């Protein structure tokens, strides 16, 4: 970072676990998504489940502890964001948030597509938002599609920006950053960009980043709206 002239960077943890795919409710969710799209004509359901499971943990996986230790080693360069999987039990989420507070993270990274939760219908979302309100912690949420099987929109519907609207009405003080501006998609570039834009118009506490979608800045009609 120093050699490249980068003065500050954010390191993001990702709380994803391949064992989540073994849960019956996640199996059913994957099956429903599979039956809605064209992927069912290309590879069997069992192969799809296997691909998703293998994608949830990689050699470069960053845990909350990793992020905390790296930020502690380089406090002037790195800002750490933790992560919590809201589709898990209430006790799990509460315990993870306690560790996040102990680590002193500035924000929390959410990945609705690979953590298998819908922000507008999740039982733990209030616990998260109450925590963020109390600690002035920002939420950075993936929006748009993602790599691999999640390039198919039916597998990334949980990452639509609009799903945050009912939550934001209850928590106007919690900062929400829409990662990738709702636009990330290899198959359908810009897929939910206008949803993200509309959400930002409605709520002063909503922001967006251009990670992986810097091409938006080259589109004249879109740049004017930003």
């Amino acid at each position: 970072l120093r050699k490249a002239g980068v003065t500050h960077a954010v390191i993001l943890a990702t709380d994803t676990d391949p064992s989540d795919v073994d849960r019956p409710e996640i199996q059913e969710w994957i099956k429903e998504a599979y039956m809605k799209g064209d992927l069912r004509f290309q590879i069997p359901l069992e192969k799809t489940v296997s691909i998703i499971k293998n994608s949830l943990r990689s050699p470069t996986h960053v845990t909350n502890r990793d992020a905390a230790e790296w930020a502690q080693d380089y406090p002037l360069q790195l800002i750490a964001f933790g992560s919590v999987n809201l589709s898990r039990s209430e006790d799990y989420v509460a315990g993870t948030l306690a560790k996040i507070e102990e680590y002193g993270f500035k924000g929390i990274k959410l990945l609705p597509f690979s953590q298998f939760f819908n922000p507008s219908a999740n039982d733990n979302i209030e616990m998260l938002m109450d925590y963020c309100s109390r600690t002035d912690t920002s939420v950075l949420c993936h929006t748009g599609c993602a790599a691999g099987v999640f390039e198919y929109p039916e597998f990334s519907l949980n990452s639509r920006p609009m799903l945050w609207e009912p939550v934001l009405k209850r928590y106007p003080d919690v900062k929400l950053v829409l990662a990738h501006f709702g636009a990330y998609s290899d198959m359908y570039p810009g897929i939910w960009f206008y949803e993200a834009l509309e959400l930002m118009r409605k709520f002063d506490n909503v922001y967006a980043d251009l990670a992986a979608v810097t091409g938006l800045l080259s589109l004249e009609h879109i740049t004017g709206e930003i």
Side-chain angles (χ1 to χ4, degrees), residues 9 18 39 58 65 100 105 129 157 170 173 178 185 203 211 223 226:
L39 191 62
S58 72
R65 176 177 287 184
I100 284 173
F105 289 137
M129 299 300 278
L157 291 177
R170 302 195 300 273
D173 60 326
L178 304 173
S185 175
F203 300 96
T223 305
I226 293 177

Side-chain angles (χ1 to χ4, degrees), residues 88-221:
R88 294 198 152 200
S89 70
E90 182 178 338
D91 287 345
Y92 177 88
V93 173
T96 303
L97 288 175
K99 292 299 293 185
I100 284 173
E101 185 167 14
E102 178 184 328
Y103 289 141
F105 289 137
K106 303 299 184 183
I108 296 176
K109 170 73 172 182
L110 301 177
L111 301 105
F113 70 96
S114 59
Q115 293 174 332
F116 306 105
F117 74 92
N118 177 337
S120 66
N122 179 263
D123 293 337
N124 292 312
I125 196 74
E126 290 193 1
M127 189 193 311
L128 169 76
M129 299 300 278
D130 286 341
Y131 168 85
C132 291
S133 180
R134 175 176 62 83
T135 60
D136 193 26
T137 301
S138 300
V139 174
L140 173 63
C141 183
H142 177 98
T143 56
C145 296
V149 169
F150 297 108
E151 281 284 8
Y152 292 82
E154 55 270 17
F155 288 95
S156 289
L157 291 177
N158 284 335
S159 297
R160 293 189 70 163
M162 63 180 288
L163 297 177
W164 280 96
E165 184 165 359
V167 181
L168 292 165
K169 288 179 179 178
R170 302 195 300 273
Y171 294 92
D173 60 326
V174 177
K175 296 182 182 69
L176 171 67
V177 181
L178 304 173
H180 318 299
F181 224 128
Y184 182 82
S185 175
D186 187 49
M187 298 172 69
Y188 306 99
I191 184 167
W192 296 312
F193 168 78
Y194 288 104
E195 279 191 16
L197 203 60
E198 184 62 25
L199 206 62
M200 294 170 70
R201 285 173 173 153
K202 287 183 178 180
F203 300 96
D204 292 338
N205 55 323
V206 179
Y207 305 82
D209 73 34
L210 292 169
V213 290
T214 53
L216 287 175
L217 295 176
S218 67
L219 302 179
E220 194 170 304
H221 70 287

Side-chain angles (χ1 to χ4, degrees), residues 22-41:
D22 297 327
R23 289 154 49 193
E25 67 272 23
I26 303 302
Q27 291 267 341
E28 185 61 27
W29 182 91
I30 292 173
K31 182 178 179 180
E32 289 181 5
Y34 176 84
M35 295 306 297
K36 289 177 182 176
D38 294 337
L39 191 62
R40 71 185 189 275
F41 301 119

Side-chain angles (χ1 to χ4, degrees), residues 41-104:
F41 301 119
Q42 301 174 38
I43 58 175
L45 174 60
E46 294 75 13
K47 179 66 174 177
T48 301
V49 172
S50 177
I51 292 172
I52 290 175
K53 188 170 185 176
N54 291 334
S55 74
L56 297 184
R57 185 64 61 89
S58 72
T60 57
H61 186 81
V62 177
T63 67
N64 284 327
R65 176 177 287 184
D66 291 333
E69 290 178 349
W70 296 345
Q72 185 176 20
D73 289 343
Y74 301 96
L76 300 181
Q77 287 81 35
L78 295 181
I79 300 167
F81 275 37
S83 184
V84 57
N85 187 339
L86 297 182
S87 75
R88 294 198 152 200
S89 70
E90 182 178 338
D91 287 345
Y92 177 88
V93 173
T96 303
L97 288 175
K99 292 299 293 185
I100 284 173
E101 185 167 14
E102 178 184 328
Y103 289 141

